[in-house]
Amino acid sequence: MDICFADSTVRFGDRIALHPLTLTLRERRIGIIGLNGSGKTTFARLINGLVKPTSGSVTVNGLDTVTDDKAVLGQAGFIFQNPQNQLILPIVSEDIALGLKGRGLSKAEIEARTQAVLLRFGIGHLGSRRVHELSGGELQLAALASVLVTAPDILIMDEPTNQLDIRNRALVGRTIDGLDEHVIVISHDLDLIADFDRVLLFHEGRLCGDGPPAKMVELYREIAA
Amino acid sequence: MKTLYVDGNTALHRLSPRVKLAGLMLASILLFLTRSPLALGTALALAIYLYAMLPLGFKVSLHRLRPVLWTIAVVALFSFLVQSAEEATVALLRLSVLMLLAASVTATTTVSAFIEVATEAARPLERMGLVNAADIGLAIGLVIRFVPDITGHYQSVRDAHLARGIKLRPLTVVVPLIILTLKSADEVAGAIDARGIRNQKA
Ligand SMILES: Nc1ncnc2c1ncn2[C@@H]1O[C@H](COP(=O)(O)OP(=O)(O)O)[C@@H](O)[C@H]1O
Ligand SMILES: [Mg+2]
């Protein structure tokens, strides 16, 4: 994995959401922390091209998020803050299969891959369930399955444990630990990123810290105080 | 996100979605070709039977129809006032049959089956270079997906009114309802992009 930001900025109207940023990401587990409105989501959305840089460029494994946007989406999966709206169709297996349609796969193949990804996350029994009946933890796992079924190289998660109880936090945490993909996780749950390889700290639209988790969390507490 | 689909193994569940939708289309044409109260009455009896056979339970069955029933009542009342009692009866019967048939089809067909059928149906238009068939299918599937969502949003808006002792007024209900619905539509659109669902042209 190789994500490069070259002097990238993001503006919404005359408001600067992200100040110029030059940075390369290669680590397998990267955490993003910062106060509300500090630019974390904007930064994460730059990576898969859902937000385009107002100036400068962002490339993912050599692909430009502006000119190769579709290829970039294939490389970087994204789990939104609200997994309820991440799942597009109302039945879990139906939703997962949707991501595989139109790729020239046979019906049997689509079904097999859907089942395999459900089993991978230990939620084989949830395939025929309604999305609205799932608990918070199950919803996160279903969202994970729906994104990882298309085998992206990088997984970006926006506050995945935000609305979860302690048990489900631990479950999602363990699941993230077990992933082979590169993961970039935005989190207010500082335990979740405590053993990550690298942590980025954002403040008021600027990257103001970049280093090991313990150090960044300490800096974050200073800023927040 | 709730779903209109209900699990079961009735004859309607087993019938191919293509046949169900074609049948629904045909039925709606036939309904508007006749004005005979006897024919329409018979059709209504059959439609009630069909709908009642679904494993929905009495309460849910009625609950699902309620919003449409109101619309039908308004239309019938209107034609009674400006046209005639006969006109009103015909409208009432036709629309009720249509509502029951459509409700039976949506209760026994999954959203992905809808998407598939709509995509196939749009293929000829695609060959003419007019549309992307997969997009048409997805759009129709999403309409069906959002119906129960909108009902759910309505319930939360209503609860918010009740909790704060505010009277339900069209303006204070419709505006937040539209905002909530657009907001979730926006997020779903984001997910469709992020998951690359429209990337692959079949
Ligand atoms: N689509 C948008 N339009 C306008 N302003 C936005 C948009 N998205 C984010 N912002 C603004 O950009 C800033 C950073 O937001 P965001 O990246 O969502 O922060 P975080 O995820 O850290 O809470 C905020 O001030 C927010 O209001
Ligand atoms: Mg955010």
Side-chain angles (χ1 to χ4, degrees), chain A residues 73-77 96-101 103 113 117 144-153 181, chain B residues 194-197 200:
Chain A
L73 285 171
Q75 304 263 329
I96 294 174
L98 182 69
L100 295 171
K101 298 255 165 80
R103 290 172 190 246
R113 288 199 195 183
V117 80
L144 256 176
S146 77
V147 168
L148 293 185
V149 73
T150 56
D153 178 32
E181 288 84 359
Chain B
R195 288 172 58 190
I197 283 165
Q200 272 67 27

Side-chain angles (χ1 to χ4, degrees), chain B residues 85-105:
Chain B
E86 193 220 338
E87 204 62 46
T89 315
V90 170
L92 188 68
L93 287 173
R94 274 181 187 157
L95 294 176
S96 304
V97 176
L98 212 51
M99 165 189 74
L100 288 164
L101 293 181
S104 307
V105 172

Side-chain angles (χ1 to χ4, degrees), chain A residues 152-163:
Chain A
D153 178 32
I154 304 159
L155 176 69
I156 306 160
M157 305 176 90
D158 197 346
E159 303 185 16
T161 58
N162 208 11
Q163 294 171 18

Side-chain angles (χ1 to χ4, degrees), chain B residues 163-177:
Chain B
R164 296 169 53 195
I166 302 171
K167 225 179 118 198
L168 289 167
R169 290 210 180 78
L171 192 68
T172 60
V173 171
V174 170
V175 172
L177 191 60

Side-chain angles (χ1 to χ4, degrees), chain A residues 30-36 40 81 140 157-177 184-196 199-200 213-214 216-217 220-221:
Chain A
I30 297 171
I32 301 177
I33 58 177
L35 299 174
N36 292 330
K40 306 180 298 295
Q81 221 159 331
Q140 265 311 333
M157 305 176 90
D158 197 346
E159 303 185 16
T161 58
N162 208 11
Q163 294 171 18
L164 303 183
D165 61 26
I166 300 183
R167 183 186 294 160
N168 278 313
R169 277 185 187 209
L171 172 66
V172 169
R174 275 199 308 278
T175 309
I176 294 174
D177 279 339
I184 299 174
V185 182
I186 301 178
S187 188
H188 293 298
D189 173 2
L190 301 176
D191 293 339
L192 184 67
I193 51 123
D195 59 352
F196 275 23
V199 170
L200 309 177
M216 290 305 110
V217 169
Y220 180 32
R221 289 193 201 281

Side-chain angles (χ1 to χ4, degrees), chain B residues 9 16 21 37 39 41 47 54 58 60 68 87 94-95 101-102 116 127 144 156 165 170 172 178 180 184 188 194 199:
Chain B
N9 193 21
S16 117
L21 286 167
L54 300 176
F58 187 70
V60 179
V68 194
E87 204 62 46
R94 274 181 187 157
L95 294 176
L101 293 181
E116 247 164 62
R127 276 192 289 275
I144 295 160
S156 22
T172 60
I178 291 176
L180 279 176
S184 55
V188 171
N199 272 4

Side-chain angles (χ1 to χ4, degrees), chain B residues 129-182:
Chain B
L130 291 175
V131 296
N132 177 303
D135 280 357
I136 300 284
L138 187 61
I140 288 178
L142 287 176
V143 169
I144 295 160
R145 173 214 190 272
F146 271 109
V147 171
D149 260 24
I150 294 172
T151 331
H153 291 324
Y154 169 74
Q155 271 152 11
S156 22
V157 171
R158 194 195 51 190
D159 289 351
H161 278 73
L162 295 180
R164 296 169 53 195
I166 302 171
K167 225 179 118 198
L168 289 167
R169 290 210 180 78
L171 192 68
T172 60
V173 171
V174 170
V175 172
L177 191 60
I178 291 176
I179 292 173
L180 279 176
T181 305
L182 287 182

